[in-house]
Amino acid sequence: IQVILSRGDAIMLFPEGRLGETEGRLYRPLKRGTVICAIRAGVPIVPVALIGTQDLYLRKTLTLRFGDPLHLPQQKRPKKPDIDQALLQLETALQDLLPENYQEPKGIKLFRHWLNRLFW
């Protein structure tokens, strides 16, 4: 990962570590690896929220929301308090991107069972 980031390339990491069970809510606690990689490489974290992925079906609108980059001070060996602080910043940034009261759209849900099994 560090080699990829040092080249200036980007990677996508999911700090939740798995899919959440409830739409619009973070699966906690967030995993530390995302912020550790960013701190070591001295690169920003761009928080992204995926909305509408819990129940998939044909023609459903999915939403991606991007937050402001989190710039963390570079450290070769980040200390636990710095990691914990960065995790708190990331969690807050992600929470701010999520809808407060997500409601699944009503109507026909074509290929719902097939698509959900395909991606879950």
Side-chain angles (χ1 to χ4, degrees), residues 25-40:
R25 295 207 177 119
L26 288 176
Y27 183 76
R28 294 182 179 106
L30 297 181
K31 306 297 182 195
R32 302 162 41 102
T34 301
V35 296
I36 290 172
C37 288
I39 291 171
R40 285 181 180 163

Side-chain angles (χ1 to χ4, degrees), residues 16 25 38 43 52 65 73 75 91 94-95 98 101 103 109 119:
E16 290 179 281
R25 295 207 177 119
V43 297
R65 291 184 181 164
Q75 301 175 35
E91 184 175 322
L94 290 170
Q95 195 63 51
L98 294 172
N101 187 18
Q103 298 294 315
K109 299 179 178 180
F119 292 106

Side-chain angles (χ1 to χ4, degrees), residues 4-102:
I4 293 169
L5 295 174
S6 69
R7 290 192 316 234
D9 294 332
I11 58 172
M12 182 177 279
L13 299 174
F14 295 89
E16 290 179 281
R18 70 183 193 111
L19 296 171
E21 296 171 4
T22 306
E23 186 76 53
R25 295 207 177 119
L26 288 176
Y27 183 76
R28 294 182 179 106
L30 297 181
K31 306 297 182 195
R32 302 162 41 102
T34 301
V35 296
I36 290 172
C37 288
I39 291 171
R40 285 181 180 163
V43 297
I45 297 174
V46 178
V48 179
L50 305 171
I51 302 163
T53 59
Q54 189 69 32
D55 190 23
L56 301 173
Y57 48 88
L58 190 62
R59 297 190 186 121
K60 181 177 185 183
T61 299
L62 302 179
T63 303
L64 275 77
R65 291 184 181 164
F66 295 84
D68 293 330
L70 302 176
H71 297 276
L72 308 170
Q74 185 174 13
Q75 301 175 35
K76 293 288 182 196
R77 294 187 180 145
K79 297 183 176 25
K80 186 177 183 333
D82 297 323
I83 294 167
D84 291 343
Q85 178 62 33
L87 274 173
L88 183 59
Q89 281 182 270
L90 178 57
E91 184 175 322
T92 301
L94 290 170
Q95 195 63 51
D96 289 346
L97 295 173
L98 294 172
E100 288 191 25
N101 187 18
Y102 179 81

